[in-house]
Amino acid sequence: MRQTSPVATLLAVAALPLALTACSAPAPKAAAAAPASASAAAAAPSDPNKGLLTGKQLKAALAPASFFATGFTADPADARDTGTTYRLPATADVPRPDCAKLGGTSWTDITGISSVSFAQDAYVNKNSSEEFAQEIDVYRDTTATTVLDALGQISKACPSYSDEPTHSTVTVTEKPLTGIGDGAWAITETSPAWQGGTTLVAARVGTSVVTVLVSSSSDKGLAGATKLTNQLVGALKGKA
């Protein structure tokens, strides 16, 4: 998620992937005040974050502990959000994604576009090292669409990368998903050195982008990631 999780290392070791003046004509004071007030309001700068969900609101939209199967517990190190304030958005020039970031950091960071608010946490099964990581990012205007489109191109720029802990090559594949939010992609990582695989599902809901990362020892994580994504999309509908 937003920074490298301790679980990412654990997964690799366990062989798992882990925002005028009034009229000049004489007039009663009350009549002159109205246009002056309207002009002042028109001149005031608009709030670019108006209507956007805060980190506190996004945190409430994350799936609760009861959503996850027995054996999964919250990882306090991965829980963070932007609270009731907003960050200044930033766009970096990223001519080519840093494929190494697919090994554990926030995948939305690969796009070079930062959100104005976010919330995230993760749940880990300490016995199997499996992980469910969930994050919601909010962007101004139509930037969420740009971010999702960029995520939909990751496998073209990064068809594979080297996994240092297992000294293996990780293959990255991608496909669009239908019926989830306002568009969605599933990005899957597999390696001969891993048992199972890791899948990230990214979906847009209005100005929000949901990213769910699931590593599984029994499959590639797509089923679990899709289920959790649908949970978050449902919680955001009509709000984002």
Side-chain angles (χ1 to χ4, degrees):
M1 304 303 284
R2 191 149 299 278
Q3 68 180 47
T4 303
S5 165
V7 177
T9 301
L10 177 61
L11 291 173
V13 172
L16 284 177
L18 336 82
L20 213 208
T21 56
C23 226
S24 58
K29 289 185 179 180
S37 177
S39 299
S46 59
D47 181 3
N49 299 319
K50 184 177 180 180
L52 297 180
L53 295 176
T54 65
K56 182 178 180 180
Q57 292 170 311
L58 296 173
K59 180 180 179 180
L62 294 176
S66 58
F67 174 88
F68 303 94
T70 302
F72 283 87
T73 57
D75 180 2
D78 263 334
R80 57 182 64 85
D81 62 80
T82 48
T84 58
T85 61
Y86 296 97
R87 308 182 301 174
L88 286 175
T91 301
D93 182 15
V94 184
R96 177 176 174 81
D98 182 356
C99 301
K101 287 187 175 182
L102 292 173
T105 59
S106 173
W107 286 24
T108 55
D109 286 348
I110 296 176
T111 66
I113 305 171
S114 65
S115 58
V116 296
S117 61
F118 78 91
Q120 68 174 67
D121 63 24
Y123 287 79
V124 180
N125 187 318
K126 294 182 179 179
N127 294 321
S128 65
S129 296
E130 294 178 310
E131 178 183 22
F132 280 76
Q134 54 181 341
E135 180 175 347
I136 308 173
D137 287 86
V138 170
Y139 303 86
R140 294 176 181 172
D141 304 318
T142 60
T143 305
T145 299
T146 302
V147 171
L148 186 66
D149 289 346
L151 290 172
Q153 300 297 313
I154 282 182
S155 64
K156 292 182 180 179
C158 303
S160 64
Y161 70 92
S162 178
D163 180 44
E164 294 302 326
T166 58
H167 303 289
S168 65
T169 297
V170 179
T171 300
V172 182
T173 59
E174 190 166 18
K175 66 178 180 180
L177 298 178
T178 59
I180 302 178
D182 300 315
W185 289 89
I187 309 163
T188 299
E189 301 178 332
T190 55
S191 167
W194 293 349
Q195 180 183 349
T198 293
T199 290
L200 175 110
V201 171
R204 182 177 71 84
V205 185
T207 57
S208 302
V209 173
V210 170
T211 46
V212 169
L213 181 68
V214 175
S215 63
S216 173
S217 59
S218 58
D219 58 27
K220 297 177 182 178
L222 178 60
T226 302
K227 181 180 179 181
L228 180 51
T229 300
N230 277 319
Q231 165 78 14
L232 302 186
V233 167
L236 290 171
K237 276 187 176 178
K239 300 176 183 179

